[in-house]
Amino acid sequence: MVIGLGRFGSSLALELTRRGTEVLAIDSNAKTVQHLAGSITHVATADATDLEALRQLGVPDFYRAVVAIGTGLEASILTAALLVEMEIEDIWAKAITKQHGQILRRIGVHHVVFPDNDMGERVARLVSGRMLDYMQVDDDFALCKTRPPREYVGRPLGESNLRRKYGVTVVAVKSPNEDFTYATADTELSYGDVILISGRTDDVERFAELP
Ligand code: ATP
């Protein structure tokens, strides 16, 4: 179930539908709902802060819900509180600010996401450095697509001591016009390769800045 079909909620509901998940999408704006009808399995116009309306839609039977209302702070919190009250097992919610996120967590939301902040941080890393792509997989752990530093070109990874020296692991390598393959101790990096590295956020950033 996805509640709130703004840019974030509608993208989410459409992507879930594309992946074959049956979705109930709810928004209080009839025009928004009309626009998405046909593209998402079930779409309904309802005020998600209205307990009776949620009951009528069968919301208590759902296992997983995402509250994708952001700027409407009051509606976001009230909706999340109703879902907690209904004992929905897995509740996700989008937060706009840190305080919003804290409130959502306190009332019992299981997962809080900050799409605007996360995307801003990610883009900052990409535009300011040499990273080609970046994904934070945990609070202090990241995956990064980058180019091999000069120092490590032309010798096997097994001899490079990368993990000891920089705390990063080369997970996979892609040579021009080839697919990614897993890196082994015998893999030799070349200029023009693209590598996928993993490690603690700071270590990954430091390594990606090497010339
Ligand atoms: P986005 O950035 O994803 O476009 P947003 O963070 O600006 O959205 P809002 O505009 O607050 O978030 O809300 C997103 C959607 O949630 C809107 O389509 C709005 O109609 C819907 N919405 C707001 N309040 C309610 C409510 N009480 N019940 C159901 N839907 C609601």
Side-chain angles (χ1 to χ4, degrees):
M1 176 173 41
V2 179
I3 300 177
L5 301 171
R7 285 160 301 176
F8 175 73
S10 59
S11 306
L12 174 69
L14 287 167
E15 180 60 22
L16 286 169
T17 306
R18 201 185 61 79
R19 287 161 180 268
T21 306
E22 206 174 320
V23 180
L24 167 64
I26 300 171
D27 199 288
S28 51
N29 186 322
K31 265 200 188 142
T32 306
V33 167
Q34 208 176 353
H35 182 69
L36 287 163
S39 313
I40 298 170
T41 340
H42 309 284
V43 206
T45 308
D47 177 0
T49 63
D50 177 348
L51 179 63
E52 203 39 51
L54 294 185
R55 282 216 179 108
Q56 276 177 15
L57 286 168
V59 167
D61 298 331
F62 279 76
Y63 166 74
R64 184 169 287 149
V66 184
V67 182
I69 305 168
T71 34
L73 199 72
E74 201 178 308
S76 151
I77 294 165
L78 278 171
T79 303
L82 287 181
L83 297 179
V84 172
E85 209 176 298
M86 288 174 180
E87 298 180 347
I88 305 287
E89 268 180 68
D90 195 26
I91 307 171
W92 294 68
K94 156 184 163 162
I96 297 294
T97 62
K98 224 175 164 178
Q99 290 85 345
H100 183 191
Q102 275 170 354
I103 297 171
L104 289 169
R105 272 196 203 99
R106 258 182 222 154
I107 61 175
V109 168
H110 307 105
H111 310 271
V112 177
V113 293
F114 298 85
D116 297 346
N117 290 19
D118 291 353
M119 188 49 89
E121 274 177 30
R122 187 161 172 271
V123 173
R125 281 197 176 90
L126 297 179
V127 296
S128 65
R130 300 174 62 242
M131 295 181 189
L132 302 171
D133 210 343
Y134 178 88
M135 189 173 119
Q136 184 108 18
V137 286
D138 203 356
D139 281 350
D140 190 26
F141 202 82
L143 274 176
C144 162
K145 192 165 119 185
T146 185
R147 302 233 178 244
R150 220 179 298 146
E151 193 186 339
Y152 295 101
V153 167
R155 61 179 167 130
L157 282 173
E159 290 173 16
S160 67
N161 275 332
L162 269 182
R163 218 174 285 174
R164 190 140 49 88
K165 203 164 162 195
Y166 288 101
V168 301
T169 302
V170 177
V171 181
V173 181
K174 178 178 164 58
S175 299
N177 304 319
E178 286 183 27
D179 292 332
F180 266 106
T181 52
Y182 292 114
T184 67
D186 301 325
T187 304
E188 276 188 26
L189 303 178
S190 314
Y191 290 110
D193 284 353
V194 170
I195 56 174
L196 189 63
I197 57 168
S198 67
R200 296 195 174 280
T201 313
D202 288 350
D203 292 337
V204 164
E205 284 181 1
R206 196 161 54 104
F207 183 80
E209 288 311 315
L210 293 176

